[in-house]
Structures are given as C-alpha cells and as structure tokens.
Amino acid sequence: MWKPPTVIANTTRGRTTEETRRQYMSEHEISVTVNGERHELAVEPRTLLVTALRDELGYTGANVGCETGRCGTCTVAVNGETIKSCTRLAVQTDGAEIETVEGLADDGDLTPLQESFQEHHGLQCGYCTPGMLLSADALLATNDDPTREEIREAIEGNLCRCTGYQNIVDAIEATADRLGERR
Amino acid sequence: MSDADASGDSGDDGSGAFGAAIERGEDVPLLTGSGEYTDDISRRGTTHLAIRRSDHAHARIENVDTGDAEAMDGVLAVYTGEDVVESGVPNTIPTAWDLPGLVQPQYRMLATDKVRHEGTAVAAVVAETPHVAHDALERIDVEYEPLEHVTDPVEAVERDVSPVHDEAEDNVAFDFELGDADATDEAFADADRVASVDLRQPRIIPNAMEPRAALADWDETTEKLRLWMTSQNPHLHRMLLSAGTLGLPENKIQVIAPEVGGGFGSKIYHYPDEAVTAWCSMQLGRPVKWQATRSESYLTDCHGRDHVTTGEIALDEDGTIRGVRVETHAGLGAQLSQFGTATPSYLYATVLSGQYTIPAIHCRVVGAFTNTTPVDAYRGAGRAEGIYVIERLVDVGARELGMDSVELRRHNLVAPDEFPYESAAALVYDSGEYERAMDLALEHVDYDELRERQRELRDEDRYIGIGVGNFIESAGLSPSGLAGDLGAQAGGWESSIVRFDSTGSVTVLAGTADQGQGHRTTYAQIAAEELGLSVDDIDVVEGDTDRIPQGMGTYGSRSASVGGGSIARGAREVREKARRIAAHQLETSVDDIEFEDGEFHVAGAPDRSLHIQAIAHEAYLGHDLPEGMDPGLEETNFYDPENFTYPFGTHVAVVEVDPETGEIEIERYVAVDDCGEIINPMIVEGQVHGGIAQGIGAALYEGAAYDDDGHLQTRRMDEYAVPHATQLPDFETDNTVTPSPHNPIGVKGVGESATIAATPTIVSAVVDALEPFDVDHLDMPITPESVWRAAETGGDR
Ligand code: FES
Ligand code: FES
C-alpha cells in the first residue's frame, strides 16, 4: 500500500516568489491603465502583455491559446486598437490605456453584445469569448451595419473550436441591428 | 426550419422547463472574464513546471545531465525518469480497455530507457517563474542514440522495422476481429456485384482552445493532494492517479475541474504531465503549476483517427446490400492511451452496419504501435471512422450499380418496425425512424430538383455535388456489464445526487464534467421538470471529487442521456419521498396525493395541498414524518442504462467545385438530427453546429502529418488548419424526435452526432461533383490541390 514519497531533491523552501525573482531578474517599471484603473508594475523585458495582464495584474479574462498570434483568445484593446496581447511586450505598452473583457460590463450590467452572445448561444466553453467580444466590438465601432461576410472576416483571427461560428455571427449581427434601431 | 427559439423562457411554473430554449446560466461569468479556468487559479507560493521533451521520434536515452539547469537561479529542482522510479510511486499510466492478446508495454511518467515519439517527456524542471523553468529546459543535456522509427500503421506491421516496443516485435498491439467471416465470404460469393474503396482517415489534433493545464498543491500536514486540472472526468483521473501513477489512497486526492475550455476527447486521458505536476508538488511541498504551450498540445494531446482501410461491399442488382468486409490498420501511437484500444476496435467495428440491414459483416482491425503521439478518442471516436467507411461504401456501391445513392440508401434502411434491431455487427439498436429523418433532410434541399439542376449545370461546365450522409451513433458507453464483457476496466454508469436544501432550494451534484456543453442549464431543466420547480431554484455542481462522491465523466455523448437519466431518476425518488411526507401531513393515503407544478394536493380537494419546498423544510425539521422514515430529502443515484442509445440522422451538403482551380464551395449544409427527446433546443443546435464544424474541418482542412524524420510537421496553429469563421458556411438544422425507449427521459445524446455525419457528407458531396471526371473517392483532407489533380487525371490517383 501507499508510503509517503521520498523527498529526493533539496529545495529552496519558504522563499517567496517576490524575493527570489529580484535575485535574478532585471525588471522595468511601467505603468498601464486597465479598464480605467492605473497600475504600476515591474516586468521583465521579455514579459508579454498578456502575461503581465494575467499574472501580474490578475486580469485573467484574456486567455492564452497559442502565444503565437494565431488564435485570438488573448485579444484586448490597446489605446483603442484591438490587438493580440501575446504579440506585444508589456514594456511596449508603458503608459497605454488597455481595455479587457473585464471592462465591458458596467457594474454587472452586460453590454448589448454580451447579452446577445447569451441570447444566441454564441459561446460554449467560453475560452474564445473574451477575444471574440473585443474583436466584435472593434467591428461594430467602425461598421454599424456589417454583412455576415464582414462579420466573419472581422472574427477570422479569433478561432473557436466549439460553436462553428454561426451563433457568434448571429449574436454580432443582432447587436448591430439592435444598436441600429436605437439610433 | 425549426430554428431554436432563443427567447429565454425561464420555465417559471416548473412545467415546461424540459424542452425549452432556456438561456445558459453558465454564460455570464464566461462573458465577463470572471470564469476561472485552471491557469487562472493560483496558490500562494506557486512554482512552475516545464517539461523537457524528446525531439527524436525514437531513440535510446544514453544520459541526462541536469547539472547546469539545477545550478540556475530560481530553479528549485530538475527531475528525470530515474528520480520518479526512485521515489517508489507506482509510475504506471494504465490502459483502461483490455482486448484479447493485447500487448501492454510499460508507460511511465517520465521516460527512462527510450523515447518512442517526438514529445516524450524526459525531464521536469520546477522553478520560481515559468520563464526560468522554460530557460532551464534548454540547459538540460540529453544524449540520445537514435533508433529507426516508423510513423505509418501499415508500414509498422508490414515492413521489417525496429519495434517501438520490444514486447511487440511486429508492432502489433492487437489483432481484432468482429462479425462472421464465413457468412461474409459466402455473401460476397453469392452477390451480383462487389465494390470497394481504399481509404485513409488522417490524424486529427483535437485543438481544444484551452491547452491542458494542472495546478497541484500537496499538503504535507494532511498528506492530501489537491489537483486542479483540465479534465472531462475528474473521478476517472482521481482513480488513475491513485491506482496508476501516484499510489496515493483515492481519499487523499481531490481533483477539481474548474471551467474547462473544450475537450473533444483530449481531456479524458491520464497523461504523464498532470501526474508529474502532482508528483513534483509532493516532492517540493509547494504548489506546482504546469501550463501546456500550444506546441506541447500538438505533440502530446492524444490525436484522433489514423486509419488505413480497405472496405468492400457486396450488392445485388436491385440494390440489396448482402455484406460488408473491412480491414483496417489503426495507428495507436507509441503508447496505449486509456481508450486507445477500444476506439478503433469495439467503438468502430460495431457501427459498420450504419442505418442499414446488412446480413453479413466482418471487420478486422490491426492495432499498430508507431513512433507517434498516442491516438485515442476524438469527437465521434470510432463511430465516426466506422460510419465514414459504410457511407463511402454505400456511395461506391451506388456508382457500381449505376443507382442513385439515395435510392440505394432507402432500399436498405432498417425499418421502424424492425426495432430493437440486432445488427450483424453485434449491436442492438434501440429505436429509429431513419427514413423520416432522411426524407426531411432531402425535402429541405429539394433533392430531385437539385439533381435536375446538377445535370443542367454540368452542360455549362459547372459542377455541383450533392452529398448525403446517414449516420447512427452508439452513445453513452454503457451498460457497465456489457462494457466489462468487451474489456472495459471501468463502469459505464453515471451518478448524481439530487438534494433539497432545508429552505427549499435544490442542489444537483453530477458526476459528469462540462467543457462547454451547458450541463448546468440542461441538468437544471431536468430536475426542475421532475420537481415542479423553476430552473432558478436549482444549482448544479460538477467537477470536484470532494463535493461529488462518484462519477464517470463526459465523453461518448453520454452526459444528457446517462448523467441526465441519473438526475431524473434521483429527482423522482426525491419527489416520491416528498409525496409520502405530504400524504402523512395531509392525513391521507399516498395514492390519493396528486402532484402538479410543485404542489402535492389531495385528489379532489385542491385546497388541501403542500408545496414540495415546504415539504423539504419539514423533511429536515424531522418533527412530523411518517413512522420509520429517516429525515432529509436527497437521493444518491447510480444509473446504469440497459443499452447504448442510438442517435441518428441525415445530413446533406451541396457543394460546387471548380475543376480548374480546385476550389470547393459549400453552398448549403442541412443537418437533420434525431437525438431523442430534446431538453434544450438551443443547446442541441449549438452541439450540432460545433460538430459539423469539426466534421467539415476533417473533410476539407485538418490532418496532422509526420515528416521523414518522424517529426510532427503540423506543430503550430499556422500549420494545422483549425477552421476559421470565413471557412465555414451557415448551417441549416432540423430535428425529428424518436425517443429512446429505455432512457428515463427518452434522451439519446447529441455531442458527437454531427461530427460523425459531416465528414462523410462533405466527402460524398465533393466526390459527387467530380463524377463526370470518374472520381469515385478522394482522401481527406480534400484540398483544392487534390480536387484539381483528380479532375486532371480522371480519378487515377
Ligand atoms: S494567445 Fe495570443 S493569439 Fe493565441
Ligand atoms: S466557445 Fe469554446 S472555443 Fe469558442
């Protein structure tokens, strides 16, 4: 039956991550504003923006599906421009205004786009969803009456393995219609 | 089209929760970024694991030098396979399905003697940050003596190559047969015509958008392991970690599957990596996190399919199918994954009768070890491969007879009055109305007119193709006894607890584990229906082995039918106990109590009533219960179905191909699915959409390949084509409803159906378009290049 495992390596037990990292890292101080809130943080030169957002600042809404700019799950807006945050270094965004999925809903009230994703079943596992929402928002900001083809093109860089995209397209199209009616 | 009504009926009166297109309760956290996936979770003092993997397909490990890596600042430990062996843990990744004569080689957490596929885990680094852990990987010096490798399942057994495992000199893991060989030979000898097809079903990489991840936290004081991981079946993982790799008692392991970002099969299995993560935490006494990179996913997530097949069909002139004979070489990869043996054997050969009455079937499958990533179940698992073969055979058979393929299908369909239907491939189909679903699909596209249009367009040198795919699926992976007879090392039941809380809310604890299917919503609908409540009264909990005592998990399209069946049965028990309390307190006999919309009332006296939530309160007060009744109002249910369920349907695709450029355009895609009773039409439609997307992906875009050095060529997302939004059309969906007669809620399941259907449907359509060029089959993925080539050479491949 089971015996407790033998410890076979000496470990540096008890050190906090903060203490250890200072010993061997050169770090840069940067400041970013995320969803309206300003943060000062120290990052290694090679730290990706997505890593800084997730691991340093706790904005875990943006996901990492590939780290090579191919899946779009890490999509955020930097100074109003939608980018894949795995393709940008954190130090490059010093002073930037960043918007993530956490900043979309206002005090728990979903945006029309978020509501529409729920109504049209535009998400299943939800892993692609934060990126999809940001890409769709960027489309709707510049095109208030997109065709289905234009919608598909706008989310071409965001992969979804669950939905087959159709309900996502429906959700975005319905949002455009709804915003159109309000105008 | 009966498009799902997504208006969000909240099912307030309880009646009607089942069957309504209720919006998903799980969506809001996922839409706002607050939902927690494994990599979003952290523990104080978390360390980071990175795994050194072999870049050889096959090599002997001569030496692993970890000195430089260990000396790096921030590195806590570097472990090799020898270290794991020395620690005395069982260190065995087990198979979960035995077959006669199966060769089961050793499968360790970290390799010690040889690496057998590119990506084999060789050493593990734990460091204070992920960057340092990955940097340290580079400083580990592994010396290899390269060995000859083989990646193709036919070559592996037919060519004289150095074996992947010494235990299997010919690389044969199993040689499996199903059906009656003599009867099949006779049928072929008697039949008027024989048609055949040689085909390959390439490797698919599942590509759940969330790569696998694990966070282990070993508590030295309680000697208990907590493991958050990307799991489709946390209880199965707990059992395999206990009995196979770590040797901890099962009650000292808590496996938690938080939000899981897709699975499609790939998160069923017990891989080395999660066990290594846990083991490292036990060594170091610190939390350890491992997050796979996408390349690691490609190299290590079990791949799907990898079949090389010769299929033959024997027919009479009038279109009667007399027999089917199939021989397949199935690549299993370098190691046996848990269901890697079941998928290409029982899950495959047993569906070769498809929707048809076929008197004689014989199938042989040679399971081959190759120096590749292990292969196991991927959405459709075995059934997808089998249906692909029979549907291709029906198409080539129709060509052989010069008969319309729909006519041939119709002529051989199992008729509604033949159920339960015992096929020559050892299954007993529960129920089906195949012709009704097929006719509905054909009606949607106006089949006859389409054929007319096809003829006219051909005169203008335009080539449209009409593809028809009929499918069945054997879903649920149960009953346990049958699964056991066939070699399963696990049960096929599902378990749940339906619990009234003392103030009247309900908690459902389910042994399945969601990766996007919407269990929290559908299960609430099932319980609400049985208990006469609103879905808002019901909370569903999944994915935590400390909260949910037992479960088998989510795979094989089983959650709604087996998991949902268990919840319905448990809820009915709860309701009957509540009825007895109601009868007692209303001072009448149980037979006089009627139940409607959550209210128990005395027959004929509707004002003498008690609501089920008030009874829940009474049950926990325990002051006034029937003589001998225990307090409380909850039920633990284990549901072991009496048979598989058999979803079915017909998909039709209309494509246009341009023989000059090879371009393929999908004009229409119609899916008619029959998954039995529908709990939530919106969710069912979503499953169908996603399934079609994966089926089309396999037919037209996907497919993993190895180069001559045994390296995976498709190792990044830009080299492996997961379909983009612009590569897929809109789908038209519809349903027929043929309840499963033996399922407590009449449900058959829908998770895999559309993937099974879409692949043959699309291939059938493209091949149909190329009929004037004498093309009778094209292997997947069908690319513009393969279309162009086929049109050029008239099918002489
Ligand atoms: S993680 Fe950034 S694009 Fe995939
Ligand atoms: S919902 Fe799962 S990847 Fe899009």
Side-chain angles (χ1 to χ4, degrees), chain B residues 232 268 379-381 383 471 473-478 512 517 519 553-563 644-647 675 687 743 747-756:
Chain B
Q232 297 182 217
I268 297 172
R379 198 173 195 171
R383 284 77 39 88
F471 77 96
E473 180 190 351
S474 51
L477 286 189
S478 38
T512 49
Q517 295 90 340
H519 294 173
T554 291
Y555 44 82
S557 308
R558 68 195 305 277
S559 296
S561 62
V562 193
F644 289 104
T645 54
Y646 292 87
C675 56
Q687 289 297 307
N743 184 270
V747 161
K748 292 191 166 203
V750 74
E752 298 168 286
S753 292
T755 304
I756 296 172

Side-chain angles (χ1 to χ4, degrees), chain B residues 50 65 105 147 278 297 423 492 680 713 791:
Chain B
D65 184 349
L147 300 167
S297 302
S423 81
N680 184 324
Q713 275 176 318

Side-chain angles (χ1 to χ4, degrees), chain B residues 115-137:
Chain B
V115 295
R116 294 183 167 85
H117 70 93
E118 187 193 15
T120 306
V122 175
V125 176
V126 184
E128 293 286 0
T129 74
H131 279 156
V132 174
H134 282 274
D135 287 350
L137 291 186

Side-chain angles (χ1 to χ4, degrees), chain B residues 710-722:
Chain B
H711 292 144
L712 185 65
Q713 275 176 318
T714 45
R715 57 197 306 133
R716 301 184 350 175
M717 262 183 174
D718 51 347
E719 295 162 340
Y720 184 94
V722 174

Side-chain angles (χ1 to χ4, degrees), chain B residues 679-696:
Chain B
I679 306 164
N680 184 324
M682 183 181 81
I683 286 178
V684 164
E685 190 194 43
Q687 289 297 307
V688 171
H689 284 180
I692 298 171
Q694 282 175 326
I696 294 179

Side-chain angles (χ1 to χ4, degrees), chain B residues 541-558:
Chain B
V541 181
E542 276 191 327
D544 182 341
T545 59
D546 269 15
R547 295 184 71 188
I548 301 126
Q550 286 297 343
M552 290 307 300
T554 291
Y555 44 82
S557 308
R558 68 195 305 277

Side-chain angles (χ1 to χ4, degrees), chain A residues 1-15 17 20 23-25 44 46-47 54 60-61 63-66 70-71 73 101-102 105 110 114 117-119 121 123-127 129-130 133 148 152-153 155-156 159-167, chain B residues 6 23-24 27 30-33 37 39-40 73-74 76 79 83 87 128-129 131-132 135 205-207 209-211 220 223 247-249 260-262 264 282-284 286 294 378 515-516 682-683 686-687 689-690 693-694 702 717-718 723-726 728-731:
Chain A
M1 206 45 224
W2 181 79
K3 309 190 289 313
T6 340
V7 172
I8 53 167
N10 289 322
T11 68
T12 44
R13 245 167 244 247
R15 274 193 212 168
T17 310
T20 333
Q23 291 178 351
Y24 53 82
M25 282 179 190
E44 276 187 85
R46 61 175 166 173
T47 299
R54 290 176 50 82
T60 54
N63 291 316
V64 182
C66 72
R70 297 286 163 182
C71 74
T73 60
V101 69
E102 287 93 343
L110 299 184
Q114 287 171 317
F117 265 65
Q118 184 174 27
E119 271 166 35
H121 190 26
L123 64 156
Q124 291 183 25
C125 80
Y127 203 75
T129 310
L133 291 169
R148 290 182 76 81
R152 285 184 182 271
E153 275 160 28
I155 57 167
E156 194 180 26
L159 293 180
C160 175
R161 192 59 155 167
C162 299
T163 64
Y165 302 105
Q166 182 167 340
N167 288 350
Chain B
E23 286 178 13
R24 300 201 320 168
D27 285 353
L30 302 176
L31 283 162
T32 54
Y37 300 90
D39 191 39
D40 297 345
D73 278 342
L76 298 173
Y79 300 113
D83 294 327
S87 74
E128 293 286 0
T129 74
H131 279 156
V132 174
D135 287 350
I205 300 181
N207 270 293
M209 291 312 295
E210 178 202 27
E220 285 171 318
E223 293 187 340
L248 291 169
V260 177
F264 317 112
M282 292 164 67
Q283 298 300 311
L284 294 168
R286 298 235 341 231
R294 180 56 60 181
Y378 164 72
Q515 320 104 52
M682 183 181 81
I683 286 178
Q687 289 297 307
H689 284 180
Q694 282 175 326
E702 302 183 35
M717 262 183 174
D718 51 347
H724 294 240
T726 49
L728 295 171
D730 280 335
F731 316 123

